[in-house]
Amino acid sequence: MRYLPLTPADRQAMLGTIGAQSIDDLFVDVPESARLSGPIAGLPMHASELAVERHMSRLAAKNIAAGSAPFFLGAGAYRHHVPASVDHIIQRGEFLTAYTPYQPEIAQGTLQMMFEFQSQIARLLGCDVANASMYDGSTACWEAISMARRVTKRGKAILSGGLHPHYVSVAKTMARFTGDQLVTGVPTLSPEPDTLDLINSIDADTSCVVVQYPDILGRIEDLSALADACHAKKALLIAVVAEPVALGAIRAPGEMGADIVVGEGQSLGVGLQFGGPYVGLFACSEKLVRQMPGRLCGETVDASGKRGFVLTLSTREQHIRREKATSNICTSSVLCALAMSVHMTLLGEKGLRQLAELNHVGASAAADRLAEVDGVELVTDRFFNEFTLKLSKEARPVVRQLADKGILAGVSLGRLYPGVEELQNGLVVAVTETTTEEDVETLASALEEVLA
Amino acid sequence: MSTINPSGWRPTTPSQGGETAEGTFTGNRALMLEEALIFEIGSTDTTGVDFGEAPAGKSRLAGMERAKAIGLPGLSEPETVRHYTRLSRQNYAIDLGLFPLGSCTMKHNPRLNERMARLPGFADIHPLQPVDTVQGALEAIDQLAHWLITLTGMQAVAMSPKAGAHGELCGVLAIRAALDAKGETARRIMLVPESAHGTNPATAAFAGFAVEDIPATPEGRVDVAALKARLGPDIAGVMITNPNTCGLFEPDLKDISDAVHAAGGYVYCDGANFNAIVGRVRPGDLGVDAMHINLHKTFSTPHGGGGPGSGPVVLSAALAPYAPLPFVEKTESGYRIVEEENAEEHHAGTFGRMTAFHGQMGMFTRALTYILSHGADGLRQVAEDSVLNANYVLRAMEDVLDAPFAKSGPCMHEAIFSDKGLPEGFSTLDIAKGLIDEGYHPMTVYFPLVVHGAMLVEPTETESKAALDQFIGAFRNVATKAKQGEAALKSAPHFAPRRRLDETLAARKPVLAYKDAAPAEAAE
């Protein structure tokens, strides 16, 4: 038991100091009937580092890693190249093994990083302030809807059909228990999002309109008219960004009038990780900050007058306001936020813009190439690095067949919307800087075979 | 005018602090340099990455191009590594020393866990890949689930909650869904003992319950008579913590569970302190219906300065049908992910989806690695050593600090002390800050709320006797200084990267994002 330092002699000596005969004396408060006499049956005993490594490596080898195949999946999780120094920095013990910075005098490293992260995210999303991260994009999205209810004192949220269906599901789950009314749409295989429908459905009960940008089909459009329509009816516009790299190329939602911008930060620094841990982004205008959930780091001075950072505005939080708190969130995703922050620092404005351009040019070329394939129609004509194809066949089995050929093609809309007939032939394809021209060619020729 | 920093208050920069007590003008000390913000040292023209030139190509942005500058500073790679390495040196962490935060359970984070989580087969797979390309990942989730169910003696486990508090929400939503399914819509009150974590009442409220407190006894346990007296047709259930936040085992939990069940309610157990009983007690045997397990607390996934966490929730047979989607199932042809509600299946009552994908896979691989390393025998030893270490600290300190529950029986994973007996003007906070100067991260302070000036000390099972003895020496020294009213303690810490920070100023004049200096100020 290499992680347990006490020796049998230590244990005896310590029991003596305590004045106990045996370790069982320390478990006397456990009722006799609930005490287990030995290790729980049916489970293996401890194993060496080598044995554990072998076991885990065998499990890992049963999966097809994205980097080992032509890979085109997006739909809320994106594969980008992460510089080696990002992982090096997050593995430093002083970041990796630290706790929440409740003692600011000896946690300035984490706190300054949180302040820098907040500042980077606010600028990226085009908002005044951002918090120091949430669990992920989907939960941040629900928290934004919840916040809009608190701010507007209205209970009806309108969710665009272009919003990630899993984000919609999370909101539906929560609304079932909180009594919020949700109006939800599903996308159509159209180059245009449902903005006009959204504008027309805003009424005096509407707390917010939630729109994804770029949306689940990869579409982008100006949110200004929608923001104006929301504000005219005193509702809030919530924009969801699932691919922050896009903001190196396209306008930020905050610039177009979104009141709250939430997002998924995974694509910068964090990696795919089969869905988690990821990093939720949450930003808003200054006037809403006291209704914002999650952790905030603020600047202050110490007793010597030096600049320092502390967790602040905690009067909104669960450990003070208990059942009146702005949310029950207790932790955040600080290590992932650090990874994202380091990646953004390495990129800087110049690097992020270059990265975004590479993504866009690559995706645009891939869209042209794939649209040449018989039985493939390009649905989206304005997009960043992700676009939707309409196939001549149902996309889900096509994805399955391509996987057999060693190609991880895009996400079939059938997997995301199993009941929606119109979407079954839709395939969402993401192209990033990690995708090569050869990968695109491989996918195009395989599609030709499968669709023939 | 902006509501943020309305008076236009500007911070001091590190070099404007004047001559410090340590005798340097810049604030730098040997081996420790002050570090400016990336916004002060970086520039928007600098980058630490190399991309080839993007080939000329068609733009499909059509009017959506970002026109205005973002304002993101960049640093070269060496500057980046140096910046974050310098920042890291201003942090205390478990790799540097004992981290006695009660109820937070800061234990050794094995690097094997990190290596396994980074295997490309786990780290580089997409949540929506075809399921037959991720069979190993699903098998790993299934194995971890099996361990969690077996160790807790429960029926099912929901793996997707993203953190402990998210797990609480999952458990309480399962209770709500079960009540709704039975038409028990009058049960809308959740009983929460005073010693509960602050997240418990907030969680119950978020799930649409009203919260009523149940008092603690003078011995630091749930007042069972008060709890039983409150049971009735309006009670959804009780949220209890065991071992509780006073560091004690609740010996009457089975009795409480039976009474709650007989009255038509459910029992939620906050499993934050499971490391004290793992392998020795199964919560399922005590009548618990739902319990979240903080993988970072019991199974050593790193806390990372405030997350990510991971909070799988084990469920009793009564609540299992209501578990959230998605979950992993073993079939004859391999593993599958159940993502849709299906009336035909045993989980027809699912309350839905809590998060976009399958949960914290990166944490699952770390926790599974840790569990396999310990095995059933090692995990039992974990509980024994964590309890032994906590009682050792309790007995070593009770002559210098008030220990309010020292006579209530052995403590479990943590020992609790109070500020009783400190002279006028000295508080728990002074002891905490004094410990920093002794080289330790302070214990949890001012929690639980039922103890005045609480100090909650949790050594955990990964500390050696020598490490404990050294810590106890420092802790006794600081406590003794406080009792003697030593003035220097009031201004501690003296040797940390920062002295006491002005938290009131931070809240009154919030500065939450860096702002470029205004031109007028720049001219000064």
Side-chain angles (χ1 to χ4, degrees):
Chain A
M1 297 226 211
R2 55 195 179 276
Y3 304 141
L4 301 175
L6 296 184
T7 65
D10 289 335
R11 292 185 183 113
Q12 271 315 313
M14 291 166 74
L15 284 169
T17 305
I18 293 165
Q21 294 295 314
S22 74
I23 193 74
D24 290 331
D25 289 358
L26 302 180
F27 287 86
V28 288
D29 288 331
V30 177
E32 193 95 35
S33 59
R35 284 187 215 165
L36 302 171
S37 56
I40 292 175
L43 297 173
M45 299 296 130
H46 67 277
S48 70
E49 178 157 337
L50 176 63
V52 173
E53 190 162 351
R54 190 176 289 143
H55 177 89
M56 296 301 291
S57 300
R58 281 181 182 158
L59 289 179
K62 291 182 185 179
N63 305 314
I64 299 181
S68 67
F71 178 85
F72 298 90
L73 282 85
Y78 301 88
R79 183 163 192 270
H80 291 285
H81 174 72
V82 179
S85 42
V86 173
D87 195 44
H88 166 78
I89 287 162
I90 67 168
Q91 286 204 70
R92 279 192 69 90
E94 303 91 330
F95 285 127
L96 184 77
T97 74
Y99 195 69
T100 304
Y102 289 141
Q103 296 289 340
E105 296 87 356
I106 46 172
Q108 285 298 304
T110 292
L111 284 159
Q112 182 169 332
M113 176 283 286
M114 288 165 85
F115 183 81
E116 291 174 345
F117 172 79
Q118 288 173 186
S119 307
Q120 287 171 315
I121 296 302
R123 289 178 180 207
L124 186 67
L125 303 181
C127 295
D128 300 328
V129 286
N131 72 12
S133 80
M134 317 280 288
Y135 304 142
D136 73 349
S138 66
T139 51
C141 178
W142 165 255
E143 291 286 347
I145 295 169
S146 225
M147 176 169 150
R149 184 212 318 129
R150 291 194 299 276
V151 169
T152 62
K153 304 197 165 41
R154 299 174 181 177
K156 186 165 107 182
I158 300 169
L159 278 50
S160 157
L163 179 61
H164 196 297
H166 290 177
Y167 290 33
V168 175
S169 297
V170 171
K172 279 185 177 167
T173 297
M174 291 307 301
R176 178 177 156 193
F177 299 104
T178 57
D180 288 71
Q181 189 194 343
L182 297 185
V183 179
T184 60
V186 290
T188 55
L189 289 180
S190 145
E192 298 301 323
D194 52 357
T195 312
L196 275 179
D197 293 343
L198 295 175
I199 289 175
N200 291 332
S201 53
I202 304 168
D203 62 20
D205 300 325
T206 304
S207 63
C208 59
V209 173
V210 186
V211 58
Q212 187 172 320
Y213 171 87
D215 79 359
I216 187 67
L217 300 190
R219 300 173 298 198
I220 43 176
E221 68 155 354
D222 193 337
L223 302 177
S224 308
L226 183 58
D228 290 345
C230 286
H231 299 154
K233 295 259 171 68
K234 295 189 171 12
L236 302 182
L237 177 62
I238 297 172
V240 178
V241 176
E243 169 51 299
V245 173
L247 301 183
I250 60 177
R251 268 186 278 168
E255 267 182 70
M256 294 182 282
D259 302 280
I260 305 173
V261 184
V262 294
E264 174 53 75
Q266 168 275 331
S267 90
L268 284 168
V270 178
L272 292 172
Q273 305 197 83
F274 202 45
Y278 284 179
V279 50
L281 312 178
F282 199 116
C284 64
S285 56
E286 281 178 350
K287 63 179 195 294
L288 299 177
V289 73
R290 283 171 202 272
Q291 286 297 330
M292 187 191 238
R295 221 160 250 167
L296 283 168
C297 172
E299 187 177 316
T300 188
V301 293
D302 80 348
S304 309
K306 283 189 192 172
R307 175 171 66 189
F309 302 92
V310 293
L311 293 180
T312 194
L313 301 184
S314 58
T315 47
R316 310 160 299 121
E317 286 187 78
Q318 29 76 21
H319 57 269
I320 295 182
R321 294 239 298 167
R322 292 170 73 87
E323 64 267 30
K324 291 188 172 56
T326 49
S327 91
N328 75 316
I329 289 171
C330 183
T331 185
S332 54
S333 207
V334 172
L335 197 69
C336 299
L338 172 64
M340 184 177 182
S341 193
V342 176
H343 196 176
M344 281 192 289
T345 300
L346 280 166
L347 289 167
E349 176 121 8
K350 187 177 174 188
L352 182 68
R353 284 177 178 269
Q354 284 175 342
L355 176 63
E357 193 185 350
L358 275 175
N359 274 251
H360 183 61
V361 168
S364 194
D368 285 341
R369 173 65 186 95
L370 295 170
E372 288 170 7
V373 174
D374 277 348
V376 173
E377 185 189 325
L378 179 63
V379 174
T380 28
D381 56 19
R382 189 155 63 159
F383 58 84
F384 170 63
N385 68 354
E386 191 168 22
F387 50 85
T388 298
L389 303 176
K390 186 178 179 185
L391 309 183
S392 55
K393 287 182 179 168
E394 206 182 318
R396 209 167 177 171
V398 169
V399 168
R400 184 72 291 300
Q401 286 170 276
L402 292 171
D404 287 342
K405 293 174 181 288
I407 300 163
L408 294 171
V411 176
S412 68
L413 286 173
R415 175 150 182 192
L416 295 173
Y417 301 92
V420 185
E421 196 59 38
E422 193 211 322
L423 300 176
Q424 297 308 306
N425 292 16
L427 181 68
V428 182
V429 175
V431 171
T432 72
E433 77 286 358
T434 66
T435 318
T436 64
E437 280 178 46
E438 194 185 359
D439 292 339
V440 175
E441 204 44 52
T442 307
L443 174 61
S445 11
L447 264 178
E448 252 153 34
E449 282 176 42
V450 173
L451 295 178
Chain B
M1 178 175 266
S2 147
T3 56
I4 301 293
N5 193 14
S7 65
W9 171 82
R10 299 249 7 126
T12 58
T13 64
S15 60
Q16 287 172 339
E19 196 167 349
T20 67
E22 294 80 44
T24 73
F25 182 78
T26 58
N28 293 341
R29 282 194 285 147
L31 299 180
M32 186 66 89
L33 270 67
E34 289 292 325
E35 186 63 7
L37 294 163
I38 51 173
F39 295 88
E40 293 158 340
I41 54 180
S43 93
T44 51
D45 290 332
T46 307
T47 180
V49 295
D50 277 331
F51 295 113
E53 281 296 302
K58 190 156 70 179
S59 169
R60 285 187 154 100
L61 299 180
M64 292 304 297
E65 293 83 0
R66 189 158 193 158
K68 277 199 281 183
I70 307 167
L72 284 180
L75 296 175
S76 65
E77 181 171 316
E79 290 171 304
T80 302
V81 170
R82 186 174 286 167
H83 175 71
Y84 289 101
T85 302
R86 282 183 180 168
L87 288 188
S88 76
R89 298 180 72 231
Q90 299 180 25
N91 269 2
Y92 193 92
I94 193 72
D95 281 358
L96 294 169
L98 193 147
F99 212 130
L101 280 169
S103 268
C104 298
T105 314
M106 292 298 285
K107 66 177 66 174
H108 174 58
N109 301 137
R111 290 314 193 275
L112 177 64
N113 301 358
E114 297 303 310
R115 187 193 281 178
M116 295 302 95
R118 285 171 171 80
L119 292 170
F122 292 131
D124 193 24
I125 53 175
H126 191 284
L128 297 171
Q129 272 181 230
V131 287
D132 49 0
T133 67
V134 290
Q135 287 291 303
L138 299 182
E139 191 175 343
I141 294 175
D142 189 61
Q143 286 182 2
L144 178 60
H146 176 71
W147 275 92
L148 298 180
I149 289 170
T150 309
L151 290 170
T152 54
M154 303 289 275
Q155 180 78 20
V157 59
M159 297 298 287
S160 67
K162 290 264 175 185
H166 205 220
E168 285 176 27
L169 188 61
C170 172
V172 174
L173 291 182
I175 291 173
R176 182 65 198 269
L179 291 171
D180 289 357
K182 291 194 289 186
E184 298 244 34
T185 50
R187 295 184 182 272
R188 286 293 179 263
I189 294 172
M190 189 64 78
L191 302 178
V192 182
E194 280 179 348
S195 62
H197 282 142
T199 45
N200 290 176
T203 298
F206 261 62
F209 292 109
V211 176
E212 284 187 23
D213 285 348
I214 296 294
T217 65
E219 291 77 38
R221 294 191 167 96
V222 176
D223 185 333
V224 180
L227 189 149
K228 284 184 177 173
R230 188 58 194 85
L231 294 174
D234 55 344
I235 300 300
V238 58
M239 294 182 81
I240 202 161
T241 303
N242 198 21
N244 71 21
T245 46
C246 296
L248 301 172
F249 194 83
E250 295 282 359
D252 300 317
L253 180 54
K254 183 73 174 73
D255 182 33
I256 293 170
S257 301
D258 290 346
V260 171
H261 291 155
Y266 295 93
V267 177
Y268 184 85
C269 183
D270 184 315
N273 307 323
F274 187 52
N275 68 316
I277 58 170
V278 61
R280 288 199 69 110
V281 183
R282 288 181 302 197
D285 295 342
L286 300 171
V288 167
D289 290 297
M291 181 177 100
H292 76 266
I293 299 169
N294 300 70
L295 293 183
H296 54 283
K297 291 186 175 182
T298 301
F299 301 119
S300 86
T301 65
H303 202 279
S310 179
V313 177
V314 289
L315 298 164
S316 65
L319 293 185
Y322 307 100
L325 297 168
F327 42 90
V328 174
E329 265 185 1
K330 194 174 183 176
T331 70
E332 281 175 8
S333 58
Y335 293 91
R336 68 175 189 135
I337 310 170
V338 180
E339 293 185 277
E340 296 305 314
E341 293 180 35
N342 186 339
E344 304 298 309
E345 304 197 52
H346 62 270
H347 39 73
T350 177
F351 69 72
R353 181 182 276 277
M354 291 192 79
T355 180
F357 301 117
H358 319 303
Q360 308 286 64
M361 184 66 197
M363 298 294 119
F364 300 160
T365 45
R366 288 172 175 87
L368 181 59
T369 300
Y370 191 75
I371 283 174
L372 293 172
S373 299
H374 277 89
D377 50 339
L379 290 174
R380 187 179 161 88
Q381 191 69 54
V382 161
E384 294 181 359
D385 286 357
S386 73
V387 172
L388 181 62
N389 281 357
N391 280 281
Y392 188 67
V393 172
L394 177 65
R395 296 306 163 200
M397 292 300 298
E398 63 183 339
D399 62 323
V400 285
L401 275 178
D402 175 58
F405 306 127
K407 291 191 170 54
S408 301
C411 64
M412 298 304 284
H413 57 296
E414 62 196 1
I416 193 163
F417 305 98
S418 87
D419 63 358
K420 198 169 149 189
L422 294 188
E424 185 72 26
F426 282 80
S427 68
T428 291
L429 192 71
D430 301 318
I431 293 183
K433 300 303 183 193
L435 264 175
I436 293 176
D437 279 342
E438 293 287 338
Y440 287 98
H441 194 286
M443 58 282 159
T444 295
V445 292
Y446 302 111
F447 183 79
L449 305 175
V450 290
V451 172
H452 193 271
M455 294 171 234
L456 201 47
V457 181
E458 177 167 5
T460 83
E461 66 277 5
T462 59
E463 295 303 332
S464 68
K465 180 172 179 293
L468 292 180
D469 286 337
Q470 194 183 22
F471 168 71
I472 288 165
F475 196 14
R476 288 183 65 88
N477 186 24
V478 175
T480 305
K481 280 184 186 171
K483 287 182 96 163
Q484 293 167 348
E486 193 171 307
L489 205 54
K490 293 294 302 172
S491 52
H494 301 95
F495 307 117
R498 286 291 178 273
R499 308 289 295 276
R500 287 192 200 193
L501 287 144
D502 190 343
E503 301 193 24
T504 311
L505 174 68
R508 196 176 293 153
K509 298 178 176 175
V511 178
L512 305 171
Y514 180 81
K515 291 195 175 121
D516 298 310
E521 285 179 313
E524 279 172 9

